[in-house]
Amino acid sequence: MATAAGFEFITAAITGADSFSKFHIHRHLPPPTVSFQAVRIFSPISNVSPRRRNHAMPLISGGGGGGINGMGNSGGGGGGGDDDVSGGGGNDDKSKKKAAVLVLAEMGRSLESIPKDLAAAIESGKIPAAIVEKYFELEKSTFFRWLLKFGGFRERLLADDLFLAKVAMECGVGIFTKTAAEYERRRENFFKELDFVIADVVMAIIADFMLVYLPAPTVSLRPPLAVSAGAIAKFFHCCPENAFQVALAGNSFSFLQRIGAIVRNGSKLFAVGTTSSLVGTFVTNIIINARKAVDTSSAGEVEDVPILSTSVAYGVYMAISSNLRYQLLAGVIEQRILEPMLHQHKLLLSAFCFAVRTGNTFLGSLLWVDYARWVGVQKVQEAHE
């Protein structure tokens, strides 16, 4: 009931959003400057002038579905999707293409000099000029130019220039917060259950990256599926990466497609969780057996961690708990609340994202310990006098 109520709230918020003004391109706009201050090492996009900021505003759609990911997808978004079709969507595509091509001309670049998926999106008029401008800004950094060669990173960096900073936050604080959470839950049994702690931390290191990567909002540059593709494949192809992400103007997602985003990411996170747990528990069992070989008196006190049951349990936990928490974090808290308020204050925005993600990571560690004990894959060790 609580989840359904949450979706009704988000859907109502999206449907009631105000329309934004048309996108305007200034022919003599000089290339933006890039700030390489230490605090922005993971985000090369500098604070922009009011004139430059006006280009980014129409990225958000007031249509019924929302979602940055849907530029090449036609899946019939809710509400605003029908309006876009009947309201001259073809003209919008043509104006987007002209504006994007104009940006290419101002930068002295051609379609052949950029990635094929981005060039195809420009040719089809599916992305606004602001996305092309952001691509060229990111490309000025040698490191980001290298990352932009990979499609997954390209889609996420174009949607959020702080994406890499969020990855660093998540992985950087993951070890410390998860260890602290393990101690908070286990207290006097912390060292007696150190084997479980090690397994949990190893699983966290492997999984943290994917927990940021998979639910991150994207600018979709995926080509359309083949006509022979099945109905299920076509449905999930049209779903956003994040169920709550906002949309580029002229694109939208239906409520069912947003549910599909949760299901699809849940299946991916189940595979990630199960695999990372297999690695973590395997390492833990090696440590346990090494302890038995060195200290024969502890041979009867320590037991091997159940690999298969622990791995499946962790996969289920990530598919449900982690999936929902990170979808809400990336799509609602960060993209819909923090970024609109602090989009001109990158340092403050990064600080708030750091605080929220740290709290979410700590909460996830607490929930995992309770869940693992509840399903029986970890047992409370009795403290001996």
Side-chain angles (χ1 to χ4, degrees):
M1 293 300 291
T3 304
F7 274 112
E8 291 175 1
F9 173 80
I10 295 301
T11 305
I14 298 171
T15 306
D18 294 330
S19 299
F20 289 92
S21 60
K22 291 290 184 180
F23 190 86
H24 297 283
I25 290 295
H26 300 274
R27 291 181 176 272
H28 302 291
L29 182 66
T33 58
V34 181
S35 173
F36 290 97
Q37 297 179 24
V39 297
R40 295 174 184 163
I41 188 171
F42 293 107
S43 174
I45 306 299
S46 60
N47 288 336
V48 294
S49 64
R51 182 187 182 193
R52 177 81 167 86
R53 177 57 58 186
N54 289 337
H55 289 274
M57 291 303 290
L59 290 177
I60 302 173
S61 171
I68 288 181
N69 182 33
M71 294 181 304
N73 303 334
S74 57
D82 296 336
D83 295 340
D84 294 336
V85 174
S86 61
N91 292 332
D92 288 341
D93 288 348
K94 290 180 180 179
S95 63
K96 287 181 182 178
K97 178 180 178 179
K98 290 180 181 179
V101 171
L102 179 59
V103 173
L104 285 172
E106 290 176 346
M107 299 298 297
R109 301 286 293 273
S110 65
L111 289 173
E112 290 73 21
S113 66
I114 61 177
K116 293 182 179 180
D117 53 359
L118 183 60
I122 293 175
E123 283 279 16
S124 58
K126 298 302 182 182
I127 60 173
I131 295 296
V132 184
E133 291 176 347
K134 179 181 281 190
Y135 173 82
F136 289 131
E137 281 195 68
L138 289 168
E139 202 180 40
K140 291 179 181 180
S141 166
T142 303
F143 179 62
F144 279 87
R145 189 186 311 124
W146 175 73
L147 283 180
L148 288 171
K149 294 180 180 179
F150 305 96
F153 280 100
R154 183 162 57 246
E155 291 183 332
R156 285 160 176 80
L157 287 169
L158 290 176
D160 180 10
D161 53 288
L162 286 178
F163 167 72
L164 196 62
K166 293 172 182 178
V167 171
M169 293 175 198
E170 196 73 34
C171 296
V173 304
I175 296 177
F176 302 102
T177 55
K178 289 183 182 297
T179 302
E182 294 283 341
Y183 181 78
E184 176 69 21
R185 273 290 187 263
R186 303 178 192 276
R187 293 290 184 177
E188 65 275 3
N189 294 322
F190 180 81
F191 291 101
K192 289 182 65 64
E193 300 175 0
L194 191 59
D195 309 321
F196 293 136
V197 174
I198 293 174
D200 291 348
V201 172
V202 171
M203 288 186 289
I205 295 173
I206 298 174
D208 276 344
F209 171 79
M210 298 305 296
L211 283 171
V212 181
Y213 184 88
L214 290 179
T218 63
V219 169
S220 181
L221 303 174
R222 294 173 297 178
L225 289 177
V227 179
S228 59
I232 296 178
K234 289 180 179 178
F235 170 75
F236 283 113
H237 182 79
C238 294
C239 295
E241 294 296 331
N242 186 288
F244 305 102
Q245 67 180 66
V246 292
L248 289 171
N251 297 278
S252 59
F253 296 102
S254 67
F255 180 77
L256 188 59
Q257 287 172 332
R258 292 182 177 276
I259 295 294
I262 295 178
V263 175
R264 183 182 60 190
N265 274 351
S267 63
K268 292 179 180 179
L269 287 174
F270 174 79
V272 171
T274 302
T275 303
S276 63
S277 182
L278 283 171
V279 175
T281 51
F282 178 74
V283 171
T284 299
N285 283 342
I286 292 178
I287 296 174
I288 290 175
N289 291 325
R291 182 192 299 180
K292 289 179 180 179
V294 174
D295 185 8
T296 56
S297 62
S298 64
E301 297 180 8
V302 293
E303 300 177 356
D304 289 351
V305 178
I307 296 179
L308 185 59
S309 59
T310 299
S311 300
V312 173
Y314 192 62
V316 172
Y317 170 80
M318 285 191 65
I320 299 175
S321 175
S322 298
N323 184 25
L324 291 175
R325 284 187 293 106
Y326 279 86
Q327 293 252 5
L328 287 167
L329 173 62
V332 178
I333 297 176
E334 290 181 342
Q335 192 178 53
R336 292 185 178 273
I337 299 176
L338 294 180
E339 291 180 9
M341 291 191 303
L342 303 171
H343 63 273
Q344 291 183 328
H345 307 281
K346 292 290 186 181
L347 184 59
L348 191 58
L349 175 59
S350 298
F352 272 95
C353 290
F354 177 83
V356 173
R357 286 186 173 272
T358 300
N360 179 62
T361 303
F362 184 76
L363 174 63
S365 298
L366 297 179
L367 293 175
W368 161 247
V369 175
D370 289 340
Y371 167 77
R373 288 174 173 174
W374 178 61
V375 298
V377 296
Q378 294 185 8
K379 298 179 181 180
V380 179
Q381 300 291 333
E382 295 295 336
H384 296 284
E385 297 290 340

